[in-house]
Amino acid sequence: MAANKKRVAVLISGRGSNMTAILDAAKSPDYPAEIVLVLANKPDAKGLETAANLGIATQVVDHKDYKGNREAFDAQIHAHLEAHNIELVVLAGFMRILTPGFVGKWTDKMLNIHPSLLPSFKGLDTHERAIETGCRLAGCTVHFVRADMDSGPILCQAAVPVLDDDSPDSLAARILKAEHRIYPHAVALVAGDKVTVEGMRVRIDEGSDTKLCANSEAQLIF
Ligand code: GRF
């Protein structure tokens, strides 16, 4: 199996809890992906330390060194990805908008997780906006990355309730737990070549088209 594992880079900007969830899953011998690089746009991203402690190669491409030259910033990231023979890019709390040129190089080979049920609440402050809008359900989405932010074919989503006394923080914590469940699974589906993208629709070739896993905390829809 090891020889066939897809070579994955995880891009982060901060604490890297989704990265950690994926690294944990990747410890299983059956997991179809190997995390070979963790790259951050901030030298103090906490997740860098976590990855380094696990012996994973880390790299910093500090956006502040590029003074608004997004093409040059993205080109540097791309160079690192190529140097590590990366086959799949996983954005996990990576807080920079990538240029269309870069995104185009990774079509259907780059995933993102967003803390809302897309297409609702693209962008920032998703938990606050879900509460303010009176949503009864909130959640998270794993999608393939396209040039428009938080758009792109949806691979899987998890829905959690919005409770009457929720604050943005309490809702974020509930959603984050669901993120940690779906993102490793989503990465495994793509790395295991179980996924076909047809326009905006994603077909999962895993026995059945759709799997619904429920527990008391979340509805997870693959
Ligand atoms: C997550 O909520 C993710 O959905 C969003 O940024 C946050 C990153 O958290 N894109 P972490 O760094 O993975 O802990």
Side-chain angles (χ1 to χ4, degrees), residues 14-19 92-95 112-115 127 176 179-180:
R15 74 190 153 185
S17 69
N18 277 289
M19 173 205 75
F94 185 70
M95 301 301 282
N112 181 46
I113 189 159
H114 182 73
H127 311 104
L176 191 65
E179 292 183 41
H180 296 163

Side-chain angles (χ1 to χ4, degrees), residues 8-9 11 81 86-91 102 106 109-111:
V8 170
L11 272 53
L81 299 176
I86 297 301
E87 300 171 280
L88 175 64
V89 178
V90 172
L91 307 181
F102 177 89
W106 293 95
K109 291 178 187 152
M110 180 156 60
L111 293 172

Side-chain angles (χ1 to χ4, degrees), residues 95-130:
M95 301 301 282
R96 305 303 295 176
I97 295 173
L98 296 161
T99 54
F102 177 89
V103 172
K105 290 184 182 133
W106 293 95
T107 303
D108 299 343
K109 291 178 187 152
M110 180 156 60
L111 293 172
N112 181 46
I113 189 159
H114 182 73
S116 79
L117 291 173
L118 290 171
S120 294
F121 308 126
K122 296 176 178 178
L124 299 174
D125 303 323
T126 53
H127 311 104
E128 199 173 341
R129 288 155 65 205

Side-chain angles (χ1 to χ4, degrees), residues 23-206:
L23 288 174
D24 281 347
K27 286 178 189 157
S28 158
D30 294 339
Y31 199 74
E34 184 187 1
I35 316 310
V36 294
L37 175 67
V38 171
L39 186 150
N41 65 305
K42 291 180 168 184
D44 60 351
K46 204 170 167 299
L48 285 174
E49 211 181 303
T50 314
N53 286 339
L54 291 167
I56 292 162
T58 60
Q59 196 69 58
V60 176
V61 181
D62 190 340
H63 63 275
K64 289 188 181 150
D65 294 340
Y66 292 83
K67 307 214 184 321
N69 187 343
R70 290 171 53 206
E71 277 78 14
F73 172 73
D74 287 2
Q76 188 57 58
I77 294 176
H78 190 72
H80 288 303
L81 299 176
E82 286 204 316
H84 285 85
N85 297 316
I86 297 301
E87 300 171 280
L88 175 64
V89 178
V90 172
L91 307 181
F94 185 70
M95 301 301 282
R96 305 303 295 176
I97 295 173
L98 296 161
T99 54
F102 177 89
V103 172
K105 290 184 182 133
W106 293 95
T107 303
D108 299 343
K109 291 178 187 152
M110 180 156 60
L111 293 172
N112 181 46
I113 189 159
H114 182 73
S116 79
L117 291 173
L118 290 171
S120 294
F121 308 126
K122 296 176 178 178
L124 299 174
D125 303 323
T126 53
H127 311 104
E128 199 173 341
R129 288 155 65 205
I131 292 170
E132 276 172 4
T133 316
C135 293
R136 289 296 189 186
L137 280 175
C140 51
T141 302
V142 178
H143 63 94
F144 286 98
V145 177
R146 295 292 184 263
D148 287 341
M149 189 183 64
D150 300 329
S151 69
I154 290 173
L155 177 52
C156 56
Q157 297 186 297
V160 305
V162 180
L163 304 180
D164 288 344
D165 59 355
D166 261 332
S167 65
D169 283 350
S170 65
L171 180 58
R174 190 173 310 116
I175 291 173
L176 191 65
K177 278 169 91 175
E179 292 183 41
H180 296 163
R181 290 190 62 199
I182 66 167
Y183 214 3
H185 185 76
V187 171
L189 286 174
V190 178
D193 294 322
K194 307 269 192 207
V195 161
T196 314
V197 184
E198 292 162 357
M200 281 301 286
R201 300 199 71 182
V202 177
R203 191 159 49 80
I204 298 173
D205 325 310
E206 223 200 2

